[in-house]
Amino acid sequence: MSAGEQVTAGGLLITEYERVKDEQRARIGFRDNLLYATLAAMAAVIAAALQTDRRGELLLLLPPVSVVLGWTYLVNDDKISAIGRYVRDELGPRLAALTDGRSDVCVFGWEVAHRSDRRRTSRKWLQLAVDLIAFCLAPVAAVVVFWTAGPVRAPLFAVSLAELAAIAVLGWQIVLYADVKRSRAEPPLT
């Protein structure tokens, strides 16, 4: 901005919008890569377990890896949604207020429109299922294999119970943050 240009409220809001959308894009890329990182970590743990006689014990590495990556995924997903809410509920209305009450002005329409897709609810349920399978079901299966693979020593049994508790907390949080309800703008299913 040159020295002769004035700072306007609308200009500041647009600049803020651009910055929060940049952050949202970066978080989306990071979040999506976390799912791939989780799958790669699972493959590495399973491959290592298959190459040793202590297979079951090595499988106990899977739950902490899944919980840490799953929690990071969940936090980023929540921030992505929070940015969308902020744009819809704060920035959009503040910018619209600067249009002198014109009702024909739609500010950041995509932020609302993409949430009104008729298949959004089913997509959110399917995403919830994928998240639970990737971050909760797979590590629970690893614990079950550990329990059934041979004699289980008491200290590792205690570790496996603690891991199951951590997985349960993560699963509960994933369900709480799933946002499977329909958007206010979403039309009823017909």
Side-chain angles (χ1 to χ4, degrees):
M1 185 177 297
S2 69
E5 292 182 41
Q6 285 190 342
V7 175
T8 65
L12 286 174
L13 292 173
I14 293 296
T15 300
E16 183 178 6
Y17 171 75
E18 290 169 351
R19 296 304 175 265
V20 296
K21 291 304 282 186
D22 287 345
E23 179 181 347
Q24 189 181 47
R25 275 188 289 278
R27 284 185 178 275
I28 288 169
F30 183 70
R31 177 205 57 196
D32 292 351
N33 285 329
L34 281 169
L35 192 54
Y36 302 127
T38 301
L39 295 174
M42 287 179 183
V45 168
I46 292 168
L50 292 175
Q51 295 177 7
T52 181
D53 292 336
R54 300 174 74 144
R55 290 183 182 138
E57 293 172 5
L58 278 178
L59 287 177
L60 288 182
L61 294 173
L62 199 58
V65 166
S66 296
V67 167
V68 168
L69 291 173
W71 180 253
T72 306
Y73 176 92
L74 181 63
V75 167
N76 271 281
D77 191 57
D78 181 54
K79 296 300 180 201
I80 291 163
S81 296
I83 289 169
R85 278 190 307 275
Y86 179 73
V87 168
R88 284 188 310 278
D89 300 342
E90 297 291 327
L91 283 181
R94 286 172 34 208
L95 194 57
L98 298 175
T99 64
D100 297 325
R102 290 181 48 196
S103 62
D104 62 329
V105 176
C106 180
V107 179
F108 308 133
W110 175 247
E111 297 293 337
V112 174
H114 82 279
R115 294 178 56 85
S116 60
D117 176 356
R118 289 185 182 275
R119 293 190 266 317
R120 180 181 183 278
T121 303
S122 62
R123 272 195 324 273
K124 294 302 275 184
W125 279 106
L126 289 171
Q127 186 62 52
L128 173 59
V130 167
D131 293 348
L132 288 172
I133 290 168
F135 298 114
C136 298
L137 183 63
V140 167
V143 171
V144 170
V145 169
F146 164 71
W147 286 344
T148 60
V152 176
R153 295 180 308 193
L156 290 180
F157 182 72
V159 166
S160 71
L161 292 177
E163 289 178 342
L164 286 178
I167 294 165
V169 170
L170 176 63
W172 174 58
Q173 291 296 306
I174 288 171
V175 170
L176 285 178
Y177 284 89
D179 190 27
V180 293
K181 63 188 176 304
R182 287 188 306 162
S183 167
R184 287 175 273 154
E186 187 176 350
L189 297 175
T190 54

